[in-house]
Amino acid sequence: MMLTVVAFVVALGLLIAVHEYGHYRVAVACRVRVIRFSIGFGPTLLRWKPRRQHPGQDTEFVIGALPLGGYVRMLDEREAPVAAEERHRAFNTQPLKARAAIVAAGPAANLLLAVVLYAVVGWIGVQEPAPVIGKPAAMSFAAQAGLQGGERVLRAGDEDPDSLSPVASFEDLRWQATRAALDGRDLRVEIESAPGRGTRVVVLPLSRMGARDADPQMFAKIGLAAPFTRPVIGEVMADGAGSRAGLKAGDQVLSVGTTPVVDGQHLRELIRQSVDGREGRAQPWHIERDGHMLTLDVRPEVREEAGTFVGRIGAYVGAAPEMVKVRQGPVDGLVKGVQRTWEVSALTLKMMGKMLIGEASIKNISGPLTIADYAGKSASLGLTQYLVFLALISVSLGVLNLLPLPVLDGGHLMYYLWEGLTGRGVSDAWMERLQRGGVALLLVMMSIALFNDVNRLFG
């Protein structure tokens, strides 16, 4: 719990500081006087004025108790009277291009941070599951394409065979599948069933997957729910069904009843399904132990989960997946950072657009509870996973602030676009109406996000 809180606060503090620093730095470059730079709202925890500041600046830096936002307060005639000798340093008196640059600098700083974070992850290198597919669900697209589990994906791309590019890891494969599904196109993959047995190309018909299917179950529908793991028994609990049947850690399960076991995920599903009503179904398990073949009769215990009775054997099932280290050089890492930031930004905008026109579920909107949960989980997995999380949230923050909502940076840029086209600014009356509408819409979005958070975490 403490790790989750710390990881969440650090993430928000860093991303907000970078966003506001973008506004601040460009404002200073445009010779606008910055009165206050605040990270957080509410009661002040810390306040200081650096002795050395940019010429003409006496900015007060503040850290508030609630790290849910921040602001850069500039000299502005619309907020308070400005002395005549200071008027040239007020924000509202600046040329249109300067005001637009100051406003756009916040989201731009978040996108630039994402580029740097993705590049750093590429330079450090990250351990990811190898691109070996676990047994796909029976009606998934991968199963319909003839994949059975255990196939290694070498390359993937769109319909053009010449466009296939190497697949570095299972996460890389899922990323390409996500893009293909949301683009409404099929994904062509080159696979190797076993070393030395040659390769073949299969097509996953993801064009048949609508944007409404882009939900937490999307990868199960595609057939990429989990990477391949050997069907090996791990630690066996002393009083569990597995222990009573004679199972030991290190046993490799070859079949359950008459069903050959493909991988760890498949074995877990077979165990869950080994029930008759409220009773466990005894079946012969064919296993390999230290090079010897054995047959054990295993009757799972029955547990109730979400109103459904499932089997349990009281043991860890499935070995760790094969891991590969994905790492880029200095230039390649930076290029990859730019590319991934662009792809995530485009994907985020595309998903928002589909939700707006009803082609995607609003269940995809996440709020602070989900972000905090993911912050804690990513931090527990190590530095690189936490950096990837920070990059993703930084992209989301940058893209969200560019939306044309009056209360966001994108809304102000829309005002400036109107001013540039018509030669006059938005009237105060219209500004007030748009602000009220923007606040109402933002509150609706926040309510939906909070509802989704509660439903996802506690439902």
Side-chain angles (χ1 to χ4, degrees), residues 1-11 386:
M1 182 64 180
M2 181 58 67
L3 177 62
T4 296
V5 173
V6 172
F8 179 60
V9 171
V10 169
Y386 187 59

Side-chain angles (χ1 to χ4, degrees), residues 414-451:
M414 291 298 294
Y415 297 155
Y416 300 148
L417 177 61
W418 170 264
E419 183 178 342
L421 293 174
T422 65
R424 62 180 185 276
V426 179
S427 67
D428 291 340
W430 266 107
M431 185 83 75
E432 185 178 352
R433 296 190 191 103
L434 291 171
Q435 287 292 110
R436 286 202 300 265
V439 169
L441 184 57
L442 198 60
L443 287 175
V444 170
M445 293 174 61
M446 291 172 63
S447 299
I448 293 173
L450 186 59
F451 175 82

Side-chain angles (χ1 to χ4, degrees), residues 244-298:
R244 291 194 295 270
L247 289 173
K248 295 183 178 180
D251 289 347
Q252 179 166 336
V253 182
L254 305 178
S255 64
V256 173
T258 59
T259 304
V261 177
V262 177
D263 72 341
Q265 176 63 25
H266 186 210
L267 178 56
R268 287 190 288 271
E269 286 301 317
L270 290 174
I271 295 171
R272 288 175 61 88
Q273 297 166 10
S274 296
V275 295
D276 291 318
R278 299 190 179 189
E279 297 292 330
R281 184 190 313 133
Q283 297 181 87
W285 282 32
H286 302 286
I287 67 172
E288 180 182 345
R289 178 185 296 168
D290 298 328
H292 300 286
M293 302 301 171
L294 301 174
T295 300
L296 301 175
D297 288 326
V298 181

Side-chain angles (χ1 to χ4, degrees), residues 215-232:
D215 57 24
Q217 300 302 316
M218 181 179 73
F219 291 122
K221 297 171 185 175
I222 296 174
L224 300 176
F228 177 85
T229 58
R230 291 172 55 238
V232 174

Side-chain angles (χ1 to χ4, degrees), residues 27-44:
V28 170
C30 293
R31 302 182 186 279
V32 174
R33 181 186 170 193
V34 179
I35 299 172
R36 175 177 288 185
F37 181 114
S38 178
I39 305 301
F41 300 110
T44 298

Side-chain angles (χ1 to χ4, degrees), residues 133 136-148 151 187 189 191 200-206 208 222:
I133 299 174
M139 299 304 295
S140 66
F141 291 111
Q144 295 175 36
L147 300 181
Q148 299 177 349
E151 296 91 350
L187 182 68
V189 294
I191 64 170
R200 60 190 174 99
V201 175
V202 299
V203 177
L204 303 182
L206 303 187
R208 288 156 44 190
I222 296 174

